[in-house]
């Protein structure tokens, strides 16, 4: 029973014929002509179809929603199979795979899995004409009215895999392989990452419950165990990442990346090998990258000012407000901040994206790395600064600045302040405020994130659909769907394609960023509230399933771009682990029961120094131990390479032995060639055994001469 039937809604297309579709050879190009006149739109569409067909692709045009056209693109069997083959040869040339795939330039092969075929279709549509593609780059250059290019969801396969995954608590490697086969390695690496993280979360979740029940607040033991956990998890994931990259034949795949379509070069130069390269001066790129320094500083100041203001308001309410509903009102600023931060971050991320585009990176990997670094800095500020202010400003110095802040506020508000502000300005720092701050931000952030990821897109898509139907029936503008009727045999397929065309693009970096932020909370603030990992564990069990559902239902199918890991987020995790060793050491020192100097400020640098060096030693030990254990895939790779070398040597030895066993005819042929040679030196001992006879004769001559001279032969 389908979803609509479960909801009691009759599907108007339920009784229409359903044609089976292949999904490995198709792409959809969405062309929007609502902002251009008829002449321009005709010209752009003609050029679009011409470029696609010039690349060898087949096209079909159908009506989309509003004033959009859906250009369905299909790669013929011969073109697709040959493109897949050439991609494999390119991988071999760049050392991604060890063995040549065999065949010739006209060889046609089937993709090993669906995503491999789809990736080749993506290259045919998106890559530049010089590389054999059509050069269709959505919303860029001449294709600014092309709103999207995307492969169609294989809905039957999606449902089958979703049903399978829903029955599993933890995913296996085969499950991750299935995701790779469907959506490519970039998305599969995310699911492998969250799966590994989920498995590792069980340890801090268990120790967190023990610490909360039996240990003192800000437990040193729990802080150390969490630091060890962070280090082991990160070093293990690095090995796991290498394992998967070898398993999926993508290790070092960055070497085969082509220029971004948006990359603007100054000129074309040739290297020593005669290869043409697009040149953009390094000094220009560095100059542009320097702009991120003022961007980060201004963003930090702006976000810091907002966070400090909200923090001050909350402190005033909790410590100085004496009106009704105080217990509720004092949490409102923090909750509002937690809800607003994602939207503030989104606006700043848009600016960061514009700035990264201006930096003009050559490949998509470099572009993504630069953007990720900017977003990571923004995320640190927005998510961790409130807690850091509470831990290292409010609690230590609250007795000094809070009474002053209360007096200033009371004087500013006048009569209103006299009515609702507490007359007793005596103040004592709330030692539990740090814990409350962590709980409020973590819990509110998780709930808000789940709502934004899983509920809002559904509501938004539903509202857009209702608005679209309203416009079609009431608007004076002409909509394609109001004047075009679908062929009944195509109606089901076209409805699905149109709905997918209205969905948002999927960005896997957003999901990875969410997990990295979770990791940061654990690394930096776990001693404050040991139950943090329990919440993350429950959240990620749900997240692992909802993310798969989210991609299927709320986003266009992602292009199966290849990568060999989670990219620059590894550096972010490394940084958070290091900062966590400093943060947890400082928090335990200031708030824990057993600390150097009784928690005195003069001893804080000593504690941080010791904590950092313990972490560095621990990381070196863990890294050494895990490297000694090694990677299963690396061992297999070495064994395969050794077996290949042994096979090659055995073939050489077999050829050598075969060369020693010459036939009589071959020996006579070689003798005649030697006798006819121009160098007479090599023609005196042609007959078989002649060289041996000559050598023996010389030896015997010497021995006879010795006997005649000395009367007896010389003995050694």
């Amino acid at each position: 029973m389908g979803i609509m039937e479960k909801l009691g809604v009759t599907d108007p297309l339920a009784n229409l014929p359903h044609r089976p579709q292949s999904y490995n050879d198709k792409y959809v190009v969405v062309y929007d002509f609502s902002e251009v006149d008829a002449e321009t739109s005709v010209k752009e569409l003609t050029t679009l179809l011409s470029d696609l067909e010039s690349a060898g692709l087949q096209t079909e045009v159908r009506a989309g929603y509003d004033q959009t056209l859906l250009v369905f693109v299909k790669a013929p069997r011969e073109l697709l199979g040959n493109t897949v083959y050439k991609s494999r040869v390119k991988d071999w040339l760049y050392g991604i795979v060890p063995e040549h795939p065999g065949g010739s330039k006209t060889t046609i092969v089937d993709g090993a899995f669906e995503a491999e075929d789809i990736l080749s279709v993506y290259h045919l549509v998106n890559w530049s004409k010089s590389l054999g593609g059509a050069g269709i780059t959505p919303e860029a250059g001449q294709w600014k009215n092309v709103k999207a290019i995307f492969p169609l969801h294989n809905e039957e396969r999606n449902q089958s895999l979703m049903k399978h995954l829903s029955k599993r608590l933890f995913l296996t490697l085969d499950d991750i392989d299935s995701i790779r086969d469907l959506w490519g390695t970039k998305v599969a690496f995310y699911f492998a990452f969250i799966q590994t993280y989920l498995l590792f979360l069980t340890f801090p979740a268990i120790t967190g419950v023990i610490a909360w029940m039996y240990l003192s607040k800000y437990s040193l033991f729990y802080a150390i165990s969490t630091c060890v956990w962070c280090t082991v998890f990160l070093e293990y994931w690095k090995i796991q990442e290498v394992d998967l990259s070898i398993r999926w034949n993508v290790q070092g795949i960055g070497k085969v990346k082509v220029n971004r379509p948006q990359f603007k070069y100054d000129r074309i130069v040739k290297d020593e090998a005669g290869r043409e390269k697009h040149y953009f001066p390094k000094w220009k790129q560095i100059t542009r990258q320097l702009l991120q320094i003022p961007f980060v500083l201004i963003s930090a100041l702006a976000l810091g000012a907002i966070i400090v203001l909200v923090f001050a308001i909350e402190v005033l309410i909790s410590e100085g407000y004496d009106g009704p509903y105080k217990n509720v009102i004092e949490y409102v600023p923090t909750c509002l901040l937690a809800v607003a931060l994602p939207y503030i971050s989104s606006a700043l991320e848009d600016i960061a994206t514009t700035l990264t585009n201006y930096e003009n990176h050559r490949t998509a990997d470099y572009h993504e790395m630069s953007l990720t670094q900017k977003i990571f800095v923004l995320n640190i500020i927005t998510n961790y600064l409130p807690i850091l202010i509470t831990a290292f400003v409010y609690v230590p110095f609250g007795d000094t600045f809070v009474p002053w802040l209360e007096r200033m506020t009371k004087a500013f508000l006048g009569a209103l302040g006299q009515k609702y502000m507490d007359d007793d300005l005596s103040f004592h720092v709330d030692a539990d405020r740090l814990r409350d701050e962590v709980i409020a931000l973590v819990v509110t952030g998780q709930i808000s994130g789940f709502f934004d990821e899983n509920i809002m897109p559904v509501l938004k898509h539903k509202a857009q659909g209702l608005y679209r139907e309203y416009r079609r029936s009431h608007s004076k503008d002409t909509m394609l769907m109001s004047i075009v009727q679908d062929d009944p045999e195509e109606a089901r397929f076209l409805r699905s394609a149109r709905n997918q065309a209205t969905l948002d693009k999927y960005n896997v970096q957003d999901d990875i960023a969410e997990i990295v932020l979770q990791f940061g909370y654990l690394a930096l603030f776990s001693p404050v509230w040991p139950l943090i990992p329990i919440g993350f564990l429950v959240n990620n069990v749900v997240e692992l399933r909802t993310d798969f559902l989210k991609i299927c239902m709320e986003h266009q199918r992602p292009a199966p771009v290849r990568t060999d890991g989670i990219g620059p987020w590894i550096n972010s995790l490394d940084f958070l682990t290091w900062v966590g060793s400093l943060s947890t050491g400082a928090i335990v020192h200031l708030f824990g029961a057993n600390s150097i100097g009784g928690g005195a400020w003069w001893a804080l640098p000593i504690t941080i120094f010791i904590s950092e060096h313990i972490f560095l030693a621990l990381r070196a030990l863990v890294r050494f131990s895990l490297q000694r254990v090694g990677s299963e895939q690396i061992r297999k790779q070495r064994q395969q390479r050794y077996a290949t070398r042994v096979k090659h040597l055995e073939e050489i030895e077999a050829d050598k032995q075969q060369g020693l066993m010459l036939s009589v005819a071959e020996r006579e042929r070689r003798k005649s060639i030697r006798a006819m040679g121009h160098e007479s030196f090599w023609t005196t001992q042609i007959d078989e055994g002649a060289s041996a006879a000559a050598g023996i004769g010389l030896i015997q001559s010497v021995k006879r001469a010795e006997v005649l001279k000395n009367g007896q032969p010389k003995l050694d």
Side-chain angles (χ1 to χ4, degrees):
M1 182 179 291
I3 296 176
M4 298 185 72
E5 287 82 354
K6 291 180 180 179
L7 296 175
V9 179
T10 303
D11 185 356
L13 303 181
N15 297 322
L16 292 179
H18 175 64
R19 286 185 174 183
Q21 294 285 340
S22 60
Y23 295 90
N24 65 318
D25 56 354
K26 296 181 180 65
Y27 241 77
V28 179
V29 180
V30 182
Y31 174 68
D32 186 349
F33 58 93
S34 61
E35 301 296 328
V36 293
D37 56 43
E39 182 180 354
T40 303
S41 59
V42 168
K43 182 179 178 181
E44 289 182 346
L45 178 63
T46 304
T47 304
L48 173 64
L49 296 175
S50 175
D51 287 351
L52 290 170
E53 291 166 2
S54 296
L57 299 166
Q58 300 170 357
T59 59
E60 290 281 341
V61 179
R62 296 292 188 275
Y65 287 132
D66 299 331
Q67 294 187 7
T68 63
L69 295 176
L70 302 183
V71 181
F72 292 89
V73 179
K74 181 178 180 180
R77 172 73 184 87
E78 296 78 9
L79 176 63
L80 177 58
N82 186 245
T83 304
V84 172
Y85 169 74
K86 289 178 179 178
S87 177
R88 293 179 182 177
V89 172
K90 188 176 182 181
D91 288 349
W92 171 74
L93 286 173
Y94 283 88
I96 308 302
V97 294
E99 296 182 0
H100 190 283
S104 64
K105 64 180 181 179
T106 58
T107 298
I108 298 172
V109 298
D110 292 324
F113 44 89
E114 188 170 296
E116 185 178 21
D117 280 337
I118 293 176
L119 179 63
S120 292
V121 181
Y122 172 72
H123 291 163
L124 289 169
V125 174
N126 180 254
W127 275 7
S128 64
K129 295 179 181 179
S130 61
L131 297 173
I136 310 302
T137 55
E139 299 182 308
Q142 65 173 322
W143 304 120
K144 62 181 180 180
N145 291 319
V146 173
K147 299 305 178 182
I149 59 173
F150 63 92
L152 291 167
H153 275 296
N154 187 339
E155 295 177 349
E156 183 177 348
R157 178 63 181 144
N158 286 353
Q159 292 176 4
S160 173
L161 189 54
M162 192 187 310
K163 183 178 180 180
H164 170 74
L165 297 181
S166 65
K167 298 177 181 178
R168 292 186 175 274
L169 180 60
F170 298 107
L171 305 185
T172 65
L173 269 178
D174 290 337
D175 297 331
I176 303 296
D177 285 342
S178 298
I179 296 174
R180 186 281 309 256
D181 295 347
L182 189 62
W183 292 332
T185 57
K186 193 168 189 176
V187 176
F189 264 113
Y190 163 68
F191 279 93
F193 176 60
I194 188 176
Q195 165 69 19
T196 305
Y197 177 65
L198 178 62
L199 286 171
F200 269 80
L201 266 178
T202 55
F203 175 78
I206 294 172
T207 56
V209 172
I210 295 173
W212 182 69
M213 294 178 64
Y214 301 108
L215 301 180
S216 60
K217 292 182 179 180
Y218 307 103
S219 166
L220 176 62
F221 170 78
Y222 182 66
I224 293 175
S225 67
T226 304
C227 184
V228 172
W229 172 83
C230 290
T231 306
V232 173
F233 162 70
L234 180 55
E235 296 303 322
Y236 175 82
W237 169 250
K238 290 178 181 178
I239 294 177
Q240 184 75 0
E241 196 175 63
V242 173
D243 260 8
L244 291 173
S245 66
I246 297 173
R247 180 185 180 92
W248 294 335
N249 291 326
V250 291
Q251 189 180 31
I253 197 65
K255 293 182 289 187
V256 303
K257 297 292 185 178
V258 300
N259 291 351
R260 293 172 59 240
Q262 296 84 0
F263 175 65
K264 299 176 182 177
Y265 55 90
D266 281 4
R267 63 180 185 273
I268 297 177
V269 298
K270 289 188 177 182
D271 60 11
E272 294 81 358
R275 295 173 297 185
E276 290 187 348
K277 292 188 175 181
H278 295 160
Y279 175 75
F280 183 74
K282 203 69 178 177
W283 67 268
K284 282 188 179 181
Q285 192 170 66
I286 293 174
T287 303
R288 295 183 179 189
Q289 288 175 338
L290 289 176
L291 293 176
Q292 64 184 308
I293 296 176
F295 166 73
V296 170
L297 291 176
I298 293 172
S299 299
L301 290 174
L303 287 170
I306 294 172
I307 291 170
V308 169
L309 178 62
V310 171
F311 180 82
I313 294 173
E314 183 178 346
V315 169
L316 283 173
I317 294 174
S318 62
E319 306 297 343
Y321 177 70
D322 197 26
Y325 308 110
K326 177 179 178 178
N327 292 334
V328 176
I329 294 176
E330 65 178 319
Y331 291 105
V332 170
T334 299
C335 293
L336 290 177
L337 178 64
V339 172
L341 278 179
Y343 299 99
I344 298 173
S345 299
S346 178
L348 290 174
E349 287 172 12
D350 290 340
I351 299 174
T353 301
T354 303
L355 190 60
T356 306
N357 290 336
Y358 178 68
E359 291 172 0
N360 194 33
H361 294 280
R362 186 182 69 83
T363 67
D365 285 348
Y366 288 133
H367 176 87
E368 186 175 79
M369 183 180 298
S370 178
L371 180 60
T372 300
Q373 290 169 345
K374 296 181 183 67
I375 293 175
F376 174 65
V377 173
L378 294 175
N379 286 337
I380 285 180
I381 297 170
T382 55
N383 288 274
Y384 304 148
L385 186 58
I387 302 175
L388 293 174
I389 291 174
T390 302
F392 301 112
V393 177
Y394 167 77
V395 176
F397 306 109
D399 290 333
T400 302
F401 79 85
V402 172
W404 173 83
L405 186 62
E406 287 181 346
R407 288 193 296 269
M408 295 293 293
T409 305
K410 192 171 183 179
F412 176 76
L413 294 177
L416 192 62
Q418 294 292 334
K419 181 178 180 181
Y420 291 109
M421 297 288 290
D422 193 351
D423 292 332
D424 182 11
L425 296 180
S426 60
F427 170 77
H428 299 287
V429 170
D430 181 6
D432 292 330
R433 183 175 181 82
L434 177 59
R435 183 199 62 193
D436 295 341
E437 190 84 24
V438 170
I439 293 173
L441 286 174
V442 169
V443 174
T444 308
Q446 293 297 304
I447 295 174
S448 174
F450 180 83
F451 182 80
D452 288 341
E453 282 189 33
N454 301 287
I455 307 300
M456 274 296 293
V458 175
L459 297 177
K460 177 184 174 183
H461 187 63
K462 185 67 175 178
Q464 287 176 340
L466 294 174
Y467 177 66
R468 192 163 43 244
E469 290 298 322
Y470 174 81
R471 286 186 61 196
R472 186 171 67 175
S473 58
H474 294 83
S475 176
K476 296 180 180 179
D477 297 331
T478 303
M479 304 296 168
L480 276 175
M481 296 305 298
S482 63
I483 60 176
V484 174
Q485 294 295 325
D486 291 333
D487 185 327
E489 293 187 350
E490 299 176 350
R492 182 193 298 271
F493 171 72
L494 290 178
R495 183 182 69 170
S496 175
R498 290 187 185 111
N499 287 335
Q500 292 180 45
T502 63
L503 298 175
D504 294 329
K505 300 179 181 68
Y506 176 67
N507 183 9
V508 71
Q509 302 299 333
D510 294 338
D511 286 334
I512 298 177
E514 181 182 350
I515 302 302
V516 172
L517 283 176
Q518 274 191 22
F519 179 84
Y521 277 114
L522 287 174
L524 272 67
F525 310 116
S526 57
V528 177
W529 191 42
L531 296 182
I532 290 177
I534 287 286
F536 288 160
L537 182 65
V538 174
N539 176 81
N540 291 337
V541 169
V542 178
E543 183 91 7
L544 191 60
R545 277 89 188 151
T546 57
D547 280 347
F548 187 91
L549 179 64
K550 176 181 69 178
I551 299 174
C552 293
M553 306 296 293
E554 301 170 12
H555 293 276
Q556 293 172 356
R557 183 175 185 172
V561 178
R562 295 188 294 176
T563 183
D564 56 2
I566 60 173
W569 290 110
I570 282 288
N571 299 327
S572 303
L573 292 169
D574 260 326
F575 176 77
L576 288 173
T577 306
W578 170 71
V579 174
S581 70
L582 309 182
S583 173
T584 53
I587 288 174
V588 171
H589 174 84
L590 292 175
F591 303 101
N594 300 315
S595 55
I596 300 175
W601 277 94
W602 64 265
L604 180 60
I606 300 175
T607 300
I608 292 176
F609 178 82
I610 295 174
S611 177
E612 180 187 19
H613 282 74
I614 290 175
F615 160 72
L616 294 175
L618 172 66
R619 184 175 65 180
L621 177 62
V622 171
R623 188 172 294 175
F624 173 78
S625 301
L626 290 178
Q627 286 177 350
R628 294 288 292 178
V629 174
S631 161
E632 180 183 355
Q633 292 297 328
I634 288 179
R635 286 194 294 270
K636 288 182 179 179
Q637 187 183 59
R638 288 173 179 169
Q639 291 169 359
Q640 290 173 354
R641 289 177 177 175
Y642 177 75
T644 301
R645 294 189 186 104
V646 169
K647 181 180 178 182
H648 182 61
L649 290 173
E650 289 176 347
E651 290 175 352
I652 293 175
E653 188 64 25
D655 292 341
K656 177 182 176 182
Q657 294 297 329
Q658 185 178 1
L660 296 176
M661 301 172 62
L662 299 177
S663 63
V664 175
E666 178 63 19
R667 289 179 181 273
E668 291 298 324
R669 187 186 70 81
R670 293 188 178 188
K671 186 190 298 184
S672 64
I673 293 174
R674 184 174 172 181
M676 296 174 62
H678 298 292
E679 299 183 42
S680 59
F681 177 83
W682 298 99
T683 61
T684 58
Q685 299 174 5
I686 295 177
D687 294 331
E688 185 175 355
S691 296
I696 292 171
L698 292 172
I699 293 172
Q700 291 175 346
S701 298
V702 171
K703 296 302 181 182
R704 283 195 299 267
E706 286 181 349
V707 171
L708 293 174
K709 182 177 181 180
N710 302 321
Q712 60 181 3
K714 182 180 179 181
L715 299 176
D716 292 332

